Amino acid sequence: DTGVSQDPRHKITKRGQNVTFRCDPISEHNRLYWYRQTLGQGPEFLTYFQNEAQLEKSRLLSDRFSAERPKGSFSTLEIQRTEQGDSAMYLCASSWGDGRASEQFFGPGTRLTVL
Amino acid sequence: GENVEQHPSTLSVQEGDSAVIKCTYSDSASNYFPWYKQELGKGPQLIIDIRSNVGEKKDQRIAVTLNKTAKHFSLHITETQPEDSAVYFCAASITSGSRLTFGEGTQLTVNP
């Protein structure tokens, strides 16, 4: 399969715990994006990388959230001290550069439930 | 920042009819407008996109129109089929590689 993959697909945690999600982009893609989607809403941008550099981070993103892409391939998104309001679907997308063929392709998402 | 509004929030049509979903955006710097289809439990799937240098684009039963002056764009699906039933999202961004701002989605139901 050559699409974007995410792991785990589902995560249930207790409030206050830390969680980490992984995203593997399409292999030739150099840009990787994280979005969050709550029920009944469109995806909301969190951050994105070009290779290993984090180019943009949403001002709405709490300091409890951190993302890395250390070797310019897979990425991890960590949420520290989870809150019930963090419950959402976390989506990863990837694209190639910023040219005409740089459409963003999404993975299946990780659904987080904070109890 | 960019704000995208999408209407209607729900749309029910009979199989074979056409469906139209409309979006407006606020940032005149936006130049890229994709449409995504999301089925239950899955990530959004790109179905068609349009860039600001064209006014219309068509791919089989799907077409998108863009009016940059009025800052609105629309998705048209003709000859709808039950498998078209899903949530559709419009989005806008400055370039295709930059952050996407999504609308709130339209739940399309195609009745057999």
Side-chain angles (χ1 to χ4, degrees), chain A residues 37-57:
Chain A
Q37 185 177 28
T38 54
L39 203 61
Q41 301 294 314
E44 176 188 32
F45 172 80
L46 294 179
T47 187
Y48 85 94
F49 296 82
Q50 177 157 309
N51 300 315
E52 64 275 8
Q54 189 171 17
L55 294 189
E56 187 177 357
K57 188 175 177 181

Side-chain angles (χ1 to χ4, degrees), chain B residues 61-83:
Chain B
R61 297 185 296 109
I62 296 174
V64 58
T65 59
L66 171 65
N67 183 328
K68 280 220 77 178
T69 302
K71 293 185 191 158
H72 65 72
F73 56 113
S74 301
L75 177 71
H76 304 251
I77 306 174
T78 59
E79 301 172 16
T80 53
Q81 302 166 2
E83 50 265 39

Side-chain angles (χ1 to χ4, degrees), chain B residues 38 52 58 68 75 89:
Chain B
Q38 188 172 30
S52 60
K58 188 173 182 180
K68 280 220 77 178
L75 177 71
F89 291 98

Side-chain angles (χ1 to χ4, degrees), chain B residues 92-111:
Chain B
S93 67
I94 295 175
T95 68
S96 56
S98 57
R99 62 153 73 188
L100 294 172
T101 301
F102 284 83
E104 294 194 345
T106 296
Q107 173 69 62
L108 173 65
T109 302
V110 180
N111 302 301

Side-chain angles (χ1 to χ4, degrees), chain B residues 11-101:
Chain B
L11 180 59
S12 182
V13 299
Q14 290 298 121
E15 183 177 359
D17 288 350
S18 295
V20 180
I21 303 171
K22 298 182 178 182
C23 290
T24 60
Y25 62 98
S26 62
D27 189 349
S28 57
S30 290
N31 286 301
Y32 176 67
F33 309 92
W35 287 87
Y36 286 86
K37 175 184 180 182
Q38 188 172 30
E39 297 175 330
L40 200 60
K42 296 183 178 181
Q45 176 191 7
L46 180 69
I47 56 172
I48 195 167
D49 58 12
I50 190 167
R51 289 171 170 81
S52 60
N53 57 341
V54 298
E56 184 173 358
K57 184 177 179 180
K58 188 173 182 180
D59 183 4
Q60 299 183 347
R61 297 185 296 109
I62 296 174
V64 58
T65 59
L66 171 65
N67 183 328
K68 280 220 77 178
T69 302
K71 293 185 191 158
H72 65 72
F73 56 113
S74 301
L75 177 71
H76 304 251
I77 306 174
T78 59
E79 301 172 16
T80 53
Q81 302 166 2
E83 50 265 39
D84 294 330
S85 297
V87 180
Y88 290 80
F89 291 98
C90 63
S93 67
I94 295 175
T95 68
S96 56
S98 57
R99 62 153 73 188
L100 294 172
T101 301

Side-chain angles (χ1 to χ4, degrees), chain A residues 26-45:
Chain A
I26 294 171
S27 59
E28 63 268 26
H29 285 182
N30 61 352
R31 287 200 174 186
L32 186 149
Y33 312 78
W34 286 100
Y35 292 83
R36 176 173 61 192
Q37 185 177 28
T38 54
L39 203 61
Q41 301 294 314
E44 176 188 32
F45 172 80

